[in-house]
Amino acid sequence: MSRNAPVFTVITRLFILIGVSLFLPKAIAAETIFSQAGIKSSARVVIASNINATVALQPQPTKVRELVNRGILHFTGKTNLTLAWRTIVSSNDVVGIKVYSTPGANSGTRPSVVASIIEGLLESGVPAKQIIIWDKDLVHLRLAGFGDLAEQFKIRIAASSASGYHEKNFYESPLIGNLVWGDSEFGKKESDAGRKSFVTRLVIDEITKIISVVPLLNHNLAGTTGNLFNVASGGVDNIQRFDKPDRLAIALPEIYAMQSLGDKVVLNITDALLCQYQGEQRSLLHYSVALNQIWFSKDPVALDVLAINELQRQRESAGIPSKKKDLEIYDNASLLELGQSDPKLIGIENAPEL
């Protein structure tokens, strides 16, 4: 969706949604929320667990592969891995695996999880040349080990910041950003320069399907460096202007909701092998616990809300004072129908042993 059109605020959308709901048949509206047995979930999350997936906080590749395979089979309801992956992507797609690489291989998205996904994609018939691991900056991708992974599987790594930005696909808001080198409008002197965040050409021109893979890691503004944050912040430039919670609460869901970004996401994965509850962009393993899990969902909001709850639980367990949870970002995302932010309406399924 181009942001040349006037921007609807979340509040405006809320009034629209309320107005529409008044005209829905009550029986239909009730059925979407409740069943005879009680509350019916409107979001589905599959969790694959294995207590041996890490040893001394280090992922065990064979066990991680088993977790990814088990999770994707249960998630898709297939008994064959090739068929399972083909329900998500086709051999004609250019699949962009969006990782969060800034904290490195230990606390960011772990290469062993991505390697397992790549193996599944290759087995399902997606050519290696049509698989791209991407993030904002190439240097972080390489430092996190994704360059080695690209060489191993003969696939590509790409930086959204180096691919250029599309001049007609952007998110616009009144906030003027402090443009930095690499931003599309850096160096421009026009009065309105800095009001737009342009979408990377990597997604516009090349990638047809996105698989988001994020670590279970805290974020001081967003609560978690989750799937919403991963795709939205990595997909556009001039993101630093949303450096306050109230700004991010509006911008993050609206950027993700752009047709050129969120509509391309076909699977969200939370790499919960470890839960790092302090540190944000730094790798601080002494603030980490091994959960030995991988979470799967088509709903990025549900996964992120579960992540925030788990991060808070681990902080409380460690005796670290935790400020009140702020789910405004995710409530706003629900208003935009990006997913489910109410934990009571999130259905969790455990993937059984193969």
Side-chain angles (χ1 to χ4, degrees), residues 52-131:
N52 298 313
T54 62
V55 174
L57 301 183
Q58 294 301 307
Q60 304 301 296
T62 302
K63 300 297 183 182
V64 171
R65 175 77 191 274
E66 184 270 336
L67 277 185
V68 171
N69 291 349
R70 181 151 51 93
I72 205 67
L73 286 172
H74 185 80
F75 181 74
T76 60
K78 303 297 182 182
T79 56
N80 177 287
L81 280 171
T82 296
L83 293 177
W85 282 107
R86 283 180 181 172
T87 66
I88 297 170
V89 298
S90 75
S91 59
N92 294 324
D93 283 316
V94 176
V95 182
I97 303 174
K98 175 63 177 76
V99 299
Y100 187 70
S101 61
T102 304
N106 290 323
S107 299
T109 303
R110 293 166 188 88
S112 59
V113 176
V114 177
S116 301
I117 295 168
I118 294 168
E119 289 172 353
L121 293 173
L122 292 172
E123 290 174 10
S124 72
V126 180
K129 64 181 180 180
Q130 291 169 211
I131 300 174

Side-chain angles (χ1 to χ4, degrees), residues 122-173:
L122 292 172
E123 290 174 10
S124 72
V126 180
K129 64 181 180 180
Q130 291 169 211
I131 300 174
I132 304 171
I133 303 172
W134 66 286
D135 200 0
K136 194 84 169 182
D137 299 306
L138 193 61
V139 63
H140 290 140
L141 281 166
R142 293 197 178 280
L143 288 173
F146 292 109
D148 295 337
L149 211 60
E151 291 181 11
Q152 177 186 345
F153 291 105
K154 310 303 180 187
I155 64 170
R156 291 173 55 196
I157 59 170
S160 57
S161 61
S163 300
Y165 295 95
H166 198 284
E167 63 278 2
K168 293 183 179 180
N169 282 272
F170 55 84
Y171 172 78
E172 185 172 11
S173 77

Side-chain angles (χ1 to χ4, degrees), residues 250-296:
I250 298 294
L252 197 62
E254 292 199 331
I255 292 172
Y256 189 98
M258 296 176 71
Q259 185 178 11
S260 53
L261 279 178
D263 281 11
K264 291 190 175 184
V265 179
V266 292
L267 180 63
N268 300 280
I269 297 175
T270 299
D271 169 2
L273 293 174
L274 303 184
C275 172
Q276 182 176 310
Y277 48 87
Q278 294 279 84
E280 202 172 27
Q281 294 185 359
R282 295 178 296 160
S283 181
L284 299 177
L285 290 181
H286 56 290
Y287 288 124
S288 302
V289 296
L291 295 187
N292 296 305
Q293 297 176 344
I294 300 178
W295 306 349
F296 304 79

